[in-house]
Amino acid sequence: MTELAAVKAALKTQAVETPSWAYGNSGTRFKVFAQAGVPRDPFEKLDDAAKVHEFTGVAPTVALHIPWDKVEDYAALAEHAEKRGVRIGAINSNTFQDDDYKLGSICHPDAAVRRKAVGHLLECVDIMDATGSRDLKLWFADGTNYPGQDDVRSRQDRLAEGLAEVYERLGEGQRMLLEYKLFEPAFYTTDVPDWGTAYAHCLKLGEKAQVVVDTGHHAPGTNIEFIVATLLREGKLGGFDFNSRFYADDDLMVGAADPFQLFRIMYEVVRGGGFTSDVAFMLDQCHNIEAKIPAIIRSVMNVQEATAKALLVDAEALSAAQASGDVLGANAVLMDAYDTDVRPLLREVRQEMGLDPDPIAAYRECGWAEKVVAERVGGQQAGWGA
């Protein structure tokens, strides 16, 4: 197999998971902007996700968020997904939208609140069983706003205790993915603020616990690719939540703010074997003012383009330059790959997969947007908290 053929083969196996909540209404903390034709329930979210997969060919799974995607029959929801050509992906918990969680969830000083939070996480594992999902994805808004508000060490003990109980409930082939976030909504301490804290808890829990890197959850200037390389080296990178940030956790389309950073991250993924392992490539974005399905298709394409460039890095030339101390030469090897226009290559890949070479144009021409606007009349549109 030639080098170019190997790159094409790798790109054809790529899978990007789309989030159910990205298909619903979303906005800033000031306003949620409604759009015509937005799904009214999880079944319609899956219908929209299926269109993304239909035109990209590499978005076969859809992450759910509980209780936003709560239904009476999860087996029926999984069956609906299969009929549409997709599958249920990660199950995301929600321990941040209940009044009881004002002072935290599984880190809360009140044992009754902690019990409630853990009960919800165990419910999410039950949903995993019903849907055939592999991953339980956990993000906690837990933290404090003021020095002395609560005991920092005790909160870590409570966190460890809660995670351990949920970890023991996981079945064969299931994983716990622990996400971290620098700040927000807590502003003095966050209980899982960085990759080191998440890694420490996952290491203690065991092989089924791994870290999720959300590309928006870092301080300005953080070298995210170093974190990725380190977690891959330790076998603890479970997945990504891809998005972009200019200032904080902006949840903009992946690759929109800094496509070079996305390329650098994907290079470390390729270099560390993450592209052929169980690392989950998930989107975690909110499309507040742009049309949702085209934005998600564009995001998948952005990941594909960064991946294609990462796969084109001349590893042999790079290694030789690094070994000889050729600083500029080594940097030039990386930049040559990044500066390559991979769009023609990806058009070829899509054609070879039996897809339209231009997914955005193909979607616009298919009439789906007009169809859902006409049909999804009445009922309650899905959105944050819906």
Side-chain angles (χ1 to χ4, degrees), residues 304-323:
Q304 287 181 298
E305 289 176 16
T307 304
K309 292 181 179 187
L311 289 166
L312 288 174
V313 172
D314 188 334
E316 186 175 332
L318 181 60
S319 180
Q322 291 169 340

Side-chain angles (χ1 to χ4, degrees), residues 117-147:
V118 170
H120 168 67
L121 303 184
L122 295 174
E123 174 196 13
C124 288
V125 182
D126 292 339
I127 294 170
M128 292 169 65
D129 293 340
T131 59
S133 175
R134 179 188 65 175
D135 296 333
L136 171 67
K137 188 144 71 68
L138 306 178
W139 171 74
F140 298 105
D142 293 38
T144 64
N145 278 0
Y146 297 98

